Every structure is written in C-alpha cells, then in structure tokens.
Amino acid sequence: PSTSGVYPVGTTVATCTATDKSGNSASKTITITVTDTIAPAITVPSPASVYASASGTAAVTWSAVTATDIVVGAVTPSCDHASGDSFPFGSTTVTCTASDGTNTGTATFATITITVTDTIAPAITVPSPASVYASASGTAAVTWSAVTATDIVVGAVTPSCNYASGYAFPLGTTTVTCTASDGTNTATKTFAVEVLGT
C-alpha cells in the first residue's frame, strides 16, 4: 500500500497492512515527521520621512505591523521601536520580528526606515543697535559683544558678519548682517550701527 499523501506539521504514524490469499495479515508502521522550516511573513509600513520639531526630534506613527504564518496563522510581531516614539535627526532602522514558536522571521523586508530631516536654521543672537559719536576723522570705531548662534541638532555654530567688531564706521546708519549655518539651513540676523556727527 502507498503512504503518500499530505500530512500535518508534527509526527504521524502510518500503519501499513498486507493480506495474502489465505487471509494471513501482517502490519508495519512508518513514522512520518513534518517539520515547519518557514518563518512567518511580516508586513511593515513604507519608509517614513518627517521633519524635526524645535527639539531636534520627531514623533513618528505608523500603521500596524502584522505577521502571518503558514501553520499557525496570524502571529503578533514585536518591534524595537513603537509607533509614536520620538526619533532623532538622521535615519533610524526599526526592526520587527515574529515567531511561530519554531521559526523567527527577521529579514531586511521586516524593517522600517525612519528619516528625520532638520529644517530649522540656527538661532542667532546679536547685540542691540548702537549709536555713537564720530571722532575728528568723521568715523567711529564701534565694538560689540560676541555674536553667537545655536542649532537644535549640532549645537553651537560660528556665525559670520559682514563687519567685525572694532570696525571704523562712517557717519550715518550701517546695517551689520550676520549669518550662521548648520550645514543644511542658514539663518540671517541684523543690527544697526549709527554714527552721529559731533
């Protein structure tokens, strides 16, 4: 007799019996073991690209991650980050795994790439407007406190201004323009220097 057929996962004992023309019978068993070697299939959301908030991070949510196994059906996956977590600037890979009790599915297709982009320029601090009197030469050397800039991602950055502290300004009002960049975003801030005649 044939023992071919479809067997479930696990161990099945098949009994084979043969009978001759005289009615004599003999039986023998065959142990058939079917092993599950296929890990669950995990479905994850598409990669996400979001903008950072003023804190330099972004809270990112995504649709449910699901997993299905050919033997046990739906299984509950787990991820190393939860939907709604705050992610830092740059790219973060979220890895999700699922197990059917025998096999654990972890593969490149079971990851979500979260990219947080910095769109916030540095904040520049400039001195208050200055009003000074000219010297006999008709100019005035004007000094001011340091211009500073801070970025939410890279921290302190060095600003540059179109005039340096100590420059001899002519009569009238001159606008000093200072800029600072975090490598992606650039900020500009100005202050006025007024030189008065004596």
Side-chain angles (χ1 to χ4, degrees), residues 3-89:
T3 56
S4 63
V6 178
Y7 292 87
V9 171
T11 300
T12 301
V13 177
T15 301
C16 300
T17 303
T19 304
D20 61 19
K21 292 180 180 181
S22 299
N24 302 303
S25 298
S27 297
K28 200 157 189 179
T29 61
I30 303 172
T31 301
I32 299 169
T33 302
V34 178
T35 304
D36 176 17
T37 59
I38 302 175
I42 306 174
T43 301
V44 296
S46 300
S49 183
V50 297
Y51 294 115
S53 65
S55 65
T57 63
V60 183
T61 59
W62 53 78
S63 57
V65 177
T66 59
T68 304
D69 185 69
I70 62 170
V71 175
V72 300
V75 293
T76 301
S78 63
C79 302
D80 57 5
H81 290 276
S83 175
D85 279 358
S86 289
F87 290 83
F89 173 73

Side-chain angles (χ1 to χ4, degrees), residues 102-185:
T102 303
N103 308 286
T104 299
T106 308
T108 54
F109 62 80
T111 62
I112 314 164
T113 300
I114 307 296
T115 303
V116 178
T117 304
D118 176 19
T119 59
I120 301 174
I124 305 175
T125 301
V126 297
S128 299
S131 290
V132 296
Y133 287 102
S135 64
S137 65
T139 63
V142 182
T143 59
W144 53 77
S145 57
V147 176
T148 60
T150 304
D151 185 69
I152 62 170
V153 175
V154 300
V157 294
T158 303
S160 61
C161 302
N162 60 340
Y163 293 97
S165 176
Y167 182 82
F169 288 87
L171 290 171
T173 300
T174 301
T175 299
V176 179
T177 302
C178 300
T179 61
S181 175
D182 59 12
T184 303
N185 310 285

